[in-house]
Amino acid sequence: MLRLYDLAGAEDERRFSPYCWRIRMALAHKGLPVETIAWRFTDKSAIAPSGQGRVPVLVDGKQWLHESWDIACYLEDRHPEGPSLFGGPQGRALSRLYSHLGDWINGQLVRLLVCDIHDHLDERDRAYFRESREQRFGAPLEVIAADRESRLPAIRDSLAPLRATLQHQPFFGGTEPLYADYAIFGAFQWARAISPLAILASDDPLAHWRERLLDAHGGLARSSPGYDR
Ligand SMILES: N[C@@H](CCC(=O)N[C@@H](CS)C(=O)NCC(=O)O)C(=O)O
């Protein structure tokens, strides 16, 4: 059985890492059962065999894997018989862009969500999160997230190429979702898990795409605790 260390909030069931969600969706896409382990930021010793301190970490027998992109490639190569995550080598090459684009969206959203993340964390993680993020951004969490509603329109505008793509096809992968979809979806599932802020307007084609992914794979993402609006 595969095991996945998956970032959790105060409640074990509130899984909120955008990168872990990429892999949860990729595993479901491949039809691979997994045991997910609720992991907290300060549980570094639990994932020490991976040689680093961030999740997702996937354990397959004696192998400890990390980095969402590398894990996705590992699953594709190790299980070529299952549905493809990339749709072939060219699709894999193009998916890299979606992975980096997802990273970029995460970087935009974190500035809106830092206080919500903090408030959903387990008591053990709060001081670590505050200190590490305040150092990274050079400001108190409350200052980083201040006036977030006024910054939302520019972030929505920046997603225009994604929105335009979805006006012609239901998924970035075409008629069915691929890893490209999961790489972007992770950002929205993260926001859904910990914040009442509506990142997307309800009539946005991206919101309709997000709904389709919430329903994908038996409603895996929708069944995880979050704010639905
Ligand atoms: N590039 C990595 C990013 C992973 C990452 O940043 N994970 C966060 C959770 S969303 C983490 O584990 N952070 C640990 C920490 O901040 O101490 C990937 O794609 O897997």
Side-chain angles (χ1 to χ4, degrees), residues 7 16-20 22-23 39-42 44 47 52-57 66-71 99 103 106 128-129 132-133 136 179 190:
L7 184 62
F16 68 93
S17 159
Y19 303 100
C20 292
R22 294 176 183 184
I23 301 307
W39 181 85
R40 284 15 189 250
F41 283 113
T42 47
K44 299 292 184 205
I47 58 168
Q52 51 86 63
R54 297 191 297 180
V55 291
V57 166
H66 64 98
E67 273 297 321
S68 52
W69 174 259
D70 293 342
I71 296 173
S99 176
D103 296 352
N106 294 341
Y128 167 80
F129 182 81
S132 59
R133 272 44 179 187
R136 181 186 298 173
Y179 190 73
W190 166 43

Side-chain angles (χ1 to χ4, degrees), residues 40-224:
R40 284 15 189 250
F41 283 113
T42 47
D43 276 353
K44 299 292 184 205
S45 61
I47 58 168
S50 72
Q52 51 86 63
R54 297 191 297 180
V55 291
V57 166
L58 185 74
V59 187
D60 187 2
K62 291 195 165 114
Q63 295 204 69
W64 287 68
L65 302 134
H66 64 98
E67 273 297 321
S68 52
W69 174 259
D70 293 342
I71 296 173
C73 291
Y74 171 85
L75 293 174
E76 183 77 347
D77 296 337
R78 178 92 177 71
H79 300 279
E81 72 290 352
S84 173
L85 286 168
F86 302 120
Q90 294 88 349
R92 186 185 302 216
L94 292 169
S95 299
R96 263 188 196 280
L97 175 65
Y98 282 91
S99 176
H100 287 297
L101 192 50
D103 296 352
W104 181 82
I105 297 171
N106 294 341
Q108 300 301 304
L109 296 190
V110 74
R111 291 174 173 80
L112 309 180
L113 301 177
V114 275
C115 291
D116 292 322
I117 299 171
H118 176 269
D119 294 349
H120 282 85
L121 290 180
D122 191 272
E123 207 53 59
R124 288 170 280 177
D125 273 0
R126 288 190 178 186
Y128 167 80
F129 182 81
R130 179 174 284 281
E131 194 183 324
S132 59
R133 272 44 179 187
E134 291 190 346
Q135 192 175 6
R136 181 186 298 173
F137 295 107
L141 299 185
E142 292 71 17
V143 172
I144 301 166
D147 296 327
R148 62 181 184 173
E149 281 80 8
S150 68
R151 287 181 277 133
L152 201 47
I155 292 178
R156 288 180 177 173
D157 284 354
S158 75
L159 303 174
L162 293 173
R163 190 170 293 121
T165 303
L166 293 172
Q167 263 147 8
H168 301 278
Q169 56 199 64
F171 296 103
F172 299 119
T175 52
E176 299 293 334
L178 291 178
Y179 190 73
D181 292 273
Y182 309 140
I184 305 291
F185 174 73
F188 297 103
Q189 177 69 348
W190 166 43
R192 173 185 174 274
I194 46 89
S195 181
L197 182 70
I199 303 293
L200 299 170
S202 58
D203 60 351
D204 187 332
L206 271 165
H208 301 314
W209 161 85
R210 191 190 77 131
E211 290 296 309
R212 290 193 281 278
L213 284 169
L214 283 168
D215 289 333
H217 310 306
L220 171 69
R222 198 185 291 284
S223 65
S224 189

